[in-house]
Amino acid sequence: MKKFEFKLEKLLSYKTQMTDSELLKLAELRKQQEIREEELKDILRKREDCHQEFEGRLTAAVAPSYYRTHLLYMEELEIRIRMKKEQVTQARALVQQQLDVVRAMKLETKSLETIRSSRFEEYKQVNQKKAEEEVEEFVVHAQRTGTDSGGFRD
């Protein structure tokens, strides 16, 4: 019997490799997104800590230069927060785009695997039918020659 051969095997292999590559890109983008989100949390914590420290010093006599420094620092933190939020938004968009690419690649790969599976089932059925025909032909030939036990007579 002829060995099963799927003519699109190279394409399936290529698509599988590409899917794996895209999955690695997705993992890297998710890692970058997590880093950006953690950086944003750190800046937000710094702003909260600075605000609490400022409120704690309001009861004491504080020089006007401290108020000015605090105000400038808070403005700087707000700018950094806005920039980091934009980076987080961009990172999320990149992750979503890559997720769409991975889904499309997996769908293509799954389609090829389904085709291969159905073709293999067809191959098995054809071989089963050939084997049955060979057995039937053997039986018919044995009956014609007058033997029914593989050429041995009692």
Side-chain angles (χ1 to χ4, degrees), residues 66-105:
Y66 175 77
Y67 289 114
R68 181 178 164 97
T69 303
H70 173 74
L71 181 62
L72 289 173
Y73 183 65
M74 291 299 281
E75 287 175 1
E76 173 65 25
L77 285 177
E78 289 302 322
I79 290 169
R80 288 173 57 194
I81 288 170
R82 276 196 304 275
M83 289 174 54
K84 198 53 73 176
K85 282 183 178 180
E86 287 176 19
Q87 290 176 355
V88 167
T89 301
Q90 290 172 351
R92 286 180 181 161
L94 288 173
V95 166
Q96 187 58 47
Q97 286 176 342
Q98 189 63 24
L99 195 55
D100 293 341
V101 168
V102 167
R103 285 182 182 141
M105 295 293 295

Side-chain angles (χ1 to χ4, degrees), residues 24-124:
L24 289 174
K25 287 179 188 177
L26 177 62
E28 181 60 34
L29 288 172
R30 282 184 170 160
K31 182 179 176 183
Q32 290 175 5
Q33 176 187 347
E34 288 174 11
I35 290 170
R36 300 290 180 270
E37 288 174 347
E38 197 58 41
E39 290 171 345
L40 177 60
K41 287 177 186 176
D42 288 344
I43 296 170
L44 291 171
R45 271 188 241 118
K46 285 180 184 178
R47 180 180 68 178
E48 184 62 32
D49 293 346
C50 184
H51 185 68
Q52 288 177 356
E53 181 184 334
F54 179 73
E55 286 181 354
R57 289 191 177 189
L58 282 178
T59 57
V62 179
S65 62
Y66 175 77
Y67 289 114
R68 181 178 164 97
T69 303
H70 173 74
L71 181 62
L72 289 173
Y73 183 65
M74 291 299 281
E75 287 175 1
E76 173 65 25
L77 285 177
E78 289 302 322
I79 290 169
R80 288 173 57 194
I81 288 170
R82 276 196 304 275
M83 289 174 54
K84 198 53 73 176
K85 282 183 178 180
E86 287 176 19
Q87 290 176 355
V88 167
T89 301
Q90 290 172 351
R92 286 180 181 161
L94 288 173
V95 166
Q96 187 58 47
Q97 286 176 342
Q98 189 63 24
L99 195 55
D100 293 341
V101 168
V102 167
R103 285 182 182 141
M105 295 293 295
K106 282 189 171 190
L107 182 62
E108 289 176 20
T109 304
K110 184 68 175 167
S111 296
L112 287 170
E113 287 173 348
T114 302
I115 291 170
R116 180 178 62 184
S117 176
S118 67
R119 296 231 175 115
F120 183 66
E121 288 301 317
E122 289 172 9
Y123 166 81
K124 287 189 334 187

